Amino acid sequence: MSNENERNSIFFPRKFTGNQAKLFAKACNQYLHAVENECNDTPPEIPIFSWLSPPHRTFLVSKLAVGLLCEDEPLPPQTIEYGAAYAG
């Protein structure tokens, strides 16, 4: 993705690096563990995300992690689903 597209992105302005990357990776890991145990994985304040099935939520969180942490991967798509997963 070009720098101009990254600046114009709605949900994901740029890749995470350093401490932000570590924190985001830890949050993703904790969320994926919560889904595995079927507890605390559907935040009611984010209904779009909560209405999705556990496999769909897991898929979105995994793709977010790859897109926001891996330098060679594109940023995640700018969709409501991914935005809700990011907020969740």
Side-chain angles (χ1 to χ4, degrees):
M1 182 175 270
S2 74
N3 288 339
E4 182 178 335
N5 286 338
E6 287 181 14
R7 284 192 300 268
N8 294 329
S9 121
I10 297 168
F11 300 115
F12 318 111
R14 62 183 168 13
K15 299 279 186 175
F16 290 129
T17 58
N19 287 334
Q20 284 183 326
K22 290 176 188 176
L23 180 63
F24 186 72
K26 186 171 183 159
C28 287
N29 282 329
Q30 287 178 339
Y31 175 78
L32 294 172
H33 181 70
V35 170
E36 206 173 85
N37 294 323
E38 296 183 26
C39 72
N40 301 322
D41 70 324
T42 54
E45 61 275 3
I46 306 170
I48 293 171
F49 189 64
S50 297
W51 297 334
L52 300 173
S53 69
H56 197 168
R57 291 192 305 268
T58 301
F59 173 80
L60 291 171
V61 170
S62 299
K63 289 295 186 179
L64 278 175
V66 170
L68 292 173
L69 297 173
C70 299
E71 186 176 324
D72 295 336
E73 295 293 326
L75 286 170
Q78 300 293 315
T79 65
I80 296 296
E81 286 179 318
Y82 281 96
Y86 179 72

